Amino acid sequence: MRIVVMTGAGISAESGIPTYRDEDGLWTQHNMEEVASRKGYLEDPQRAADFFEKLREAKQGKAPNAAHYALAALQNRDHEVTIVTQNIDGLHQEAGSRDVIEMHGSLRDMYCDTCTRHAGVYAYPEHLDVASAVCFSCAQTGTLRPDVTYFGEVPRRMGEIYQALFECDVYMAVGTSGEVQPASSFMIFAQGYGAKAVELNLTRTDVSELYDIGWYGPASNVVPMLVGDFDNLLEKVLDS
Ligand code: NAD
């Protein structure tokens, strides 16, 4: 069985990392257009770098929770499981997941907007001073930035993601509001090519009725419970 698991900010909420759109989410405190859009970044690259620096600080000391570990365990079963995440926190890898597709990049790394090369974590300073930082690949000054996808930019590895969606039997969305494109259309794409779609979220979302089946509650309860009884889950999903 081929399974694509798409995760969003909700899977990391119980690790202490705030989501974007919930009541205490990051967009209640920050202007998304200013700090995390392509336009905002071009207006003021340092403002965007400072915002992601705060996220990097906030991520310090945060550990994967039971939901991340359960998905890592699922990858070690008989099924072919592709994990695609919108998250930039690296917690899937810390829990032991392999080959995670980080479509929105990662807080670990830097990226050069001129030569489009990814600089390794070893080069990411504690404080990124955009104006003076020099890319060691193309020697440009002022073009290094966090290796994250800003709103208005194309996410990473889209070819691999659509191939996995095209081939999968089951598509599972975990802890995502379904409001950010293109991730929000993945379910429609996978369903269109014959997959069953499963939603796991704290509560029902605006797109819940489009899924074939859903389970609701905190990810750290629901994901391990379903992974623990995965064959039963698959039977229910395929019958839905
Ligand atoms: P979102 O904030 O739009 O939605 C979060 C979803 O998680 C909501 O539907 C909410 O009901 C659900 N949720 C909250 N707590 C939960 C829990 N304990 N268990 C299960 N579900 C829970 O987030 P999104 O849909 O992922 O939006 C996408 C954007 O958020 C992406 O661009 C992503 O990069 C970014 N983001 C990432 C992180 C991170 O790396 N941890 C944190 C915040 C935002």
Side-chain angles (χ1 to χ4, degrees):
M1 195 74 69
R2 290 181 183 195
I3 298 148
V4 171
V5 183
M6 148 62 59
T7 67
I11 195 169
S12 296
E14 290 164 86
S15 293
I17 299 179
T19 62
Y20 278 173
R21 289 178 181 71
D22 293 318
E23 257 172 41
D24 54 350
L26 288 167
W27 297 151
T28 59
Q29 297 148 36
H30 299 274
N31 181 334
M32 183 268 276
E33 282 296 329
E34 283 181 3
V35 297
S37 75
R38 175 88 188 156
K39 187 168 169 281
Y41 158 69
L42 292 174
E43 273 167 15
D44 188 344
Q46 189 62 51
R47 181 177 59 194
D50 290 347
F51 171 70
F52 285 95
E53 193 164 305
K54 276 200 205 125
L55 296 193
R56 288 174 81 214
E57 281 165 15
K59 202 258 151 183
Q60 298 286 329
K62 303 293 191 310
N65 64 55
H68 298 101
Y69 285 112
L71 292 180
L74 185 63
Q75 277 192 313
N76 290 324
R77 303 260 193 94
D78 293 340
H79 307 292
E80 195 179 302
V81 180
T82 303
I83 297 181
V84 182
T85 188
Q86 297 171 85
N87 295 345
I88 54 180
D89 56 34
L91 291 182
H92 284 298
Q93 292 91 329
E94 287 180 35
S97 278
R98 302 180 306 274
D99 306 325
V100 178
I101 300 182
E102 294 176 304
M103 62 179 288
H104 290 164
S106 162
L107 286 171
R108 283 186 311 273
D109 300 327
M110 282 195 302
Y111 175 79
C112 174
D113 225 13
T114 300
C115 69
T116 68
R117 276 181 199 252
H118 301 260
V121 63
Y122 57 88
Y124 206 138
E126 211 163 280
H127 171 69
L128 175 61
D129 180 8
V130 176
S132 64
V134 181
C135 173
F136 52 63
S137 177
C138 70
Q140 276 285 327
T141 305
T143 55
L144 282 177
R145 50 174 272 192
D147 188 14
V148 299
T149 306
Y150 295 133
F151 290 98
E153 295 181 335
V154 180
R156 320 286 157 84
R157 302 175 64 181
M158 292 304 293
E160 283 168 80
I161 294 173
Y162 280 114
Q163 188 65 36
L165 293 171
F166 176 62
E167 290 172 351
C168 74
D169 304 293
V170 175
Y171 173 81
M172 277 172 62
V174 183
T176 176
S177 62
E179 287 183 28
V180 179
Q181 284 288 4
S184 50
S185 62
F186 289 170
M187 179 261 289
I188 303 289
F189 186 93
Q191 262 182 340
Y193 282 95
K196 292 286 188 178
V198 184
E199 180 178 57
L200 308 182
N201 202 301
L202 188 58
T203 55
R204 287 178 66 82
T205 66
D206 290 348
V207 290
S208 292
E209 73 271 18
L210 301 177
Y211 283 84
D212 295 294
I213 194 162
W215 277 273
Y216 301 95
S220 69
N221 289 348
V222 173
V223 180
M225 183 186 78
L226 293 172
V227 167
D229 196 13
F230 202 69
D231 291 334
N232 203 7
L233 161 80
L234 282 182
E235 215 169 283
K236 284 202 178 95
V237 169
L238 296 175
D239 285 349
S240 63

